[in-house]
Amino acid sequence: MADFAHLGLFFVVVFGVIALPGLDMAFVLASALRGGHGAGLAAVGGIMLGGAAHIVMGVLGVAAILALWPPLFNAVLLAGALYVGWIGWTLLRTREGVALPAAGSVPRGRSVFLQGMLTCLLNPKAYVFMLAIFPQFLRPERGQLWAQAAALGLITSFTQAAVYGAVAVGAVRAHGWLAGNPRAGLAAARAVGAVLLAAALLTVLQGWA
């Protein structure tokens, strides 16, 4: 089993990767602004489940297969970018700002949860992490790989919950002020949409560079 210094180093690396703005964080932000605490936290839960799936795929070697077959990796990259880009385009065209919808029109938690999981599964940053960083923390001499992967997976999940949960709560708290300023709310919604589109475009450009 990995020692505490080993796990501590992994936490520092994972925190830096998760705290870096990307597709997952943008989806959580957009979900919280559009659906409130419930939608924001559902998005976080979905992303956490997607992260757990990445851990399993990493141990099984799926990430290595993607590395050996670049066309498949590029297809995953493009799918994730297009999906998030579509969300950004929808926000960019909105005329309703970030005012939270009425109770009957709030996005269902299950739907947002599944979308969050899909966003994480199609997030190329996660695959890059699994290819370049995760394998470095799996050492056969330290014990069973599955036990090590489980420990690293728990650290990843708790870090996702803390970082993305803070993003969701912060977004909802900002809603009150934005709701009282329609123009600012509209500008914020479109700004989030622009960020999502920019992130999607940058993802495609970096993937094909």
Side-chain angles (χ1 to χ4, degrees):
M1 191 66 176
D3 54 32
F4 288 108
H6 189 69
L7 295 177
L9 178 59
F10 180 78
F11 167 73
V12 172
V13 173
V14 168
F15 181 83
V17 171
I18 293 176
L20 183 67
L23 302 183
D24 290 345
M25 184 177 292
F27 180 76
V28 171
L29 177 62
S31 299
L33 287 174
R34 298 174 71 181
H37 283 107
L41 296 180
V44 174
I47 289 171
M48 290 173 62
L49 182 58
H54 279 298
I55 297 294
V56 174
M57 288 190 290
V59 178
L60 293 176
V62 174
I65 294 176
L66 291 176
L68 294 173
W69 192 14
L72 180 57
F73 178 79
N74 287 339
V76 172
L77 194 75
L78 180 61
L82 288 178
Y83 177 69
V84 174
W86 173 78
I87 297 175
W89 177 248
T90 300
L91 283 174
L92 199 60
R93 296 180 60 194
T94 187
R95 296 183 179 181
E96 300 179 356
V98 297
L100 296 183
S105 61
V106 172
R108 293 183 178 180
R110 180 180 180 183
S111 174
V112 177
F113 179 87
L114 293 176
Q115 290 177 26
M117 181 179 65
L118 181 62
T119 298
C120 183
L121 289 175
L122 296 179
N123 188 349
K125 185 172 74 171
Y127 287 96
V128 172
F129 175 81
M130 294 306 302
L131 286 168
I133 300 176
F134 186 78
Q136 300 179 28
F137 291 87
L138 293 177
R139 304 293 175 81
E141 66 273 14
R142 294 180 180 271
Q144 295 184 348
L145 293 182
W146 279 109
Q148 295 181 52
L152 300 180
L154 286 174
I155 292 175
T156 302
S157 295
F158 283 126
T159 306
Q160 287 176 320
V163 174
Y164 295 146
V167 170
V169 172
V172 175
R173 288 186 176 181
H175 158 261
W177 180 82
L178 293 172
N181 297 268
R183 291 185 178 180
L186 181 60
R190 291 178 174 173
V192 172
V195 169
L196 286 173
L197 281 175
L201 179 60
L202 182 61
T203 295
V204 173
L205 294 177
Q206 289 179 338
W208 265 264

